[in-house]
Amino acid sequence: FWGKKPLTAVIKEVCDKWNLPGPDNYALQYADGVQTYITESCNGHGRCAEDLYKGIQSSDSGVRCDSLKLLADVSTDITFAQEFISRDGHSLLVKIVEDAHEAPLIMTHTLTAFMELMDHGIVSWENLSSVFIKKIASFGNAKVLDTSIQQVSLAILESMVLSSSSLFNEVKHEITLERLVSHLQVTNQQLQTKAMALLMAMLLAGGEADRQVRNIIHSSSSVGDEMAHYLYVLQTVRLNHLEARMRTPLDSYNQEQRDMLHGLRQAAFETESESGLSNERRRSLCAKEFKKLGFSNNSNPGLDLSRCPPGLLALDTMAYFASRYPDAYSRFVLENSSREDKHECPFARSSIQLTLILCEILRIGEPPSETGSDYHPIFFAQDRLLEELFCICIQLLNKTWKEMRATQEDFDKVMQVVREQITRTLSSKPTSLELFKNKVNVLNYSEILKLRQTERLHQEETLAPPVLELKERLKPELLELIRQQRLNRLCHGTLFRKISSRRRQDKLWYCRLSPNHKVLHYGDVEEETEMPSIEALQEKIPVADIKSVVTGKDCPHMKENKGKQTKEVLDLAFSITYDVEEYSLNFIASSRTDFCLWTDGLNVLLGKEMSSESMRSELEILLSMEIKLRLLDLENVPIPDTAPPIPKPPSNFNFCYDFSQAEQ
């Protein structure tokens, strides 16, 4: 273009055509300068390409090495690449690789330069010869070779696989999968990454992977972001091979699937030969056993497996569990079939739902994301991950069902807990099935409840340091409120029953505190009496004479009948001692609430701390309510862990604002 017409002439023609003002002299001079620079640059690239083309053919190995190193550096420039390729320089690089007579350093520079030139897309990958492809594959397969050569060779093979299906087939035929997998076990992370990139390219191009790929044991050192992405893609591609079974419902006319279904029944129950039974008797027996297995449609259990997902994948997991762990399978089924109908954990229904949960957690059927890097290390240590996870989790489900004392109505709630147990355990990245099994079994139902409570408190920011500090400041005020409530209750009084030595409940007596909190009044009353006046209670004890409050088996009236009182009575008994501990007033509360109220109130009168569980519960409720009310205006506003720093005061305070000046 530049040789045909000067740039200044082109600019003038454009201005004339579109009726634009003509360019000034400065603009024309600038255009001339640009054209001169571009022309000289092109000539410079041409001279450089010519020099390097001659240098790599030099008989001096030092010159060849320096020329190829420089070629690898400048080949990233597309203009230079066009000049070099126009001289058929890339063919010269191909010949050097095919001959394979050069030293490792020269070969590394040659392969790097070739890769940079091919990345511009000027020359098609399909023009490469079979000899060249075999030679590059031999570099990738070699056991003892410079790692730099191996890295570049693997990168070239990756580009070949991604460029066309014909090259993929050639590379797949030449590259040794065992050697490729061995590259993933080395400590060199760059070589690992290149090998994984080629492996991913082959998986995506071929649509399938060999079984050996799943047995990769990658380095225990920290995995880089690029390697993590490749591992994630490998995991996704392999797991997605299960999608077809997950999307396929059971076919009642398929003999193989029917045999698998009946195999579950036969493995669980020791049945006699069915050949001598009538059709009606056989159907009745099968329906009864399928019901024990936990199928909803016991007359036609195939209907339970018609939902997709999980489809046939649920049948596969159940059959794997029954054949791989027959004792655990039989124990699960027989244990639940012997329970009451409402308390049994239905094996089939649970298995179908559990398989669906595992498919969702492992994201089976989802295409790999371009930025994803969340992989499970356990995947690379296990041959059949989904099935083995199912075998562990179905036994976990039965354990959780018993811990929750669940019924059929609680099925969805149990499945939510099991999903949480699996998700939390997998998030800790266990590296083996044994480790997963140990962790998930430790995470029982009570632990899940504790974690939920802690997370809820964190979400409400009630565990933030400023909030905890606020709680401590509020406690004295709220404790005083509880003390006043306890004293008010004692002033109101309570009706107690006396228990005679013959364990007959007879006679009622009433006890209440005087309004000035100085005297306890008590005395016998009739059963119809609701709240007797203080004057009606003849007996009294000055609070100043009370020495202590004792509870349970330490009470005098419990010691007299030691071994004869039930635990229920012991938990409700308390006494006050007075007059140098020679006398005591004995109580047996009618409920645990009255026991807590009176023991707390008496401790307040004696100047001691309240210690009942009722007080702790009420204090927590009051604190929670008060905190929520005080933080109401801060909803959705994050509370920092530490207070913001107070700025330093100014160097002086000699400043003011003159309000007398009107704004202009």
Side-chain angles (χ1 to χ4, degrees), residues 191-205:
L191 184 58
Q192 272 188 333
T193 303
K194 295 299 182 184
M196 181 60 77
L198 175 56
L199 186 58
M200 290 301 98
M202 295 178 71
L203 291 177
L204 294 173

Side-chain angles (χ1 to χ4, degrees), residues 62-337:
V63 174
R64 290 200 306 276
C65 183
D66 292 340
S67 299
L68 287 166
K69 181 180 179 181
L70 180 58
L71 178 63
D73 292 335
V74 299
S75 292
T76 55
D77 188 307
I78 188 170
T79 307
F80 170 83
Q82 289 172 336
E83 291 289 339
F84 189 79
I85 290 173
S86 67
R87 290 167 171 76
D88 206 24
H90 63 290
S91 299
L92 191 57
L93 299 180
V94 170
K95 187 175 186 306
I96 294 174
V97 173
E98 290 177 350
D99 293 342
H101 297 317
E102 298 289 359
L105 182 59
I106 294 178
M107 186 60 70
T108 301
H109 294 326
T110 303
L111 294 173
T112 306
F114 176 81
M115 185 67 191
E116 295 293 347
L117 290 171
M118 295 299 290
D119 277 348
H120 295 297
I122 302 171
V123 180
S124 173
W125 286 94
E126 294 187 359
N127 293 334
L128 299 174
S129 66
S130 299
V131 177
F132 178 81
I133 295 172
K134 289 180 180 180
K135 185 60 67 174
I136 296 292
S138 68
F139 293 157
N141 283 331
K143 292 184 179 181
V144 181
L145 192 66
D146 186 87
T147 55
S148 299
I149 296 178
Q150 289 182 325
Q151 290 175 30
V152 184
S153 299
L154 293 173
I156 293 173
L157 291 170
E158 178 196 0
S159 297
M160 290 180 186
V161 168
L162 295 175
S163 64
S164 71
S165 57
S166 59
L167 284 177
F168 162 68
N169 291 326
E170 282 196 60
V171 172
K172 185 179 179 181
H173 179 72
E174 295 296 335
I175 196 73
T176 306
L177 185 60
E178 290 81 355
R179 188 58 194 158
L180 188 58
V181 171
S182 71
H183 288 323
L184 300 173
Q185 299 172 335
V186 300
T187 56
N188 187 324
Q189 288 198 356
Q190 290 182 336
L191 184 58
Q192 272 188 333
T193 303
K194 295 299 182 184
M196 181 60 77
L198 175 56
L199 186 58
M200 290 301 98
M202 295 178 71
L203 291 177
L204 294 173
E208 61 179 19
D210 295 272
R211 191 184 68 83
Q212 299 174 31
V213 174
R214 290 174 292 171
N215 296 324
I216 298 171
I217 304 174
H218 55 79
S219 174
S220 59
S221 59
S222 59
V223 176
D225 293 341
E226 190 176 359
M227 176 59 81
H229 172 69
Y230 289 138
L231 292 171
Y232 154 78
V233 174
L234 172 60
Q235 171 186 287
T236 304
V237 171
R238 286 299 307 140
L239 288 175
N240 280 351
H241 289 168
L242 301 171
E243 184 180 6
R245 299 287 285 182
M246 184 182 74
R247 305 284 185 197
T248 306
L250 184 135
D251 182 3
S252 300
Y253 297 100
N254 186 301
Q255 187 61 43
E256 181 183 356
Q257 295 173 17
R258 290 174 61 187
D259 290 343
M260 288 178 67
L261 195 58
H262 283 279
L264 293 174
R265 177 181 63 84
Q266 293 165 356
F269 308 104
E270 294 182 1
T271 56
E272 298 178 1
S273 176
E274 300 174 4
S275 57
L277 300 177
S278 64
N279 290 336
E280 184 177 350
R281 173 62 179 159
R282 187 184 298 108
R283 281 196 297 269
S284 174
L285 178 63
C286 290
K288 182 180 178 181
E289 291 180 345
F290 278 125
K291 182 180 180 181
K292 287 183 179 180
L293 271 176
F295 285 95
S296 302
N297 300 281
N298 50 313
S299 59
N300 185 9
L303 293 176
D304 289 25
L305 296 164
S306 60
R307 184 181 62 165
C308 294
L312 288 176
L313 204 53
L315 179 61
D316 293 340
T317 53
M318 287 190 284
Y320 183 86
F321 180 48
S323 60
R324 185 82 169 80
Y325 304 99
D327 293 340
Y329 171 68
S330 299
R331 186 165 56 250
F332 185 112
V333 175
L334 296 177
E335 178 184 322
N336 285 283
S337 61

Side-chain angles (χ1 to χ4, degrees), residues 347-380:
F347 172 75
R349 183 186 176 192
S350 301
S351 298
I352 294 169
Q353 189 63 27
L354 177 60
T355 305
L356 177 61
I357 288 173
L358 289 173
C359 289
E360 291 173 351
I361 292 174
L362 298 175
R363 298 181 179 180
I364 296 174
E366 294 184 17
S369 166
E370 292 183 1
T371 58
S373 59
D374 184 19
Y375 70 96
H376 300 293
I378 192 175
F379 172 84
F380 302 97

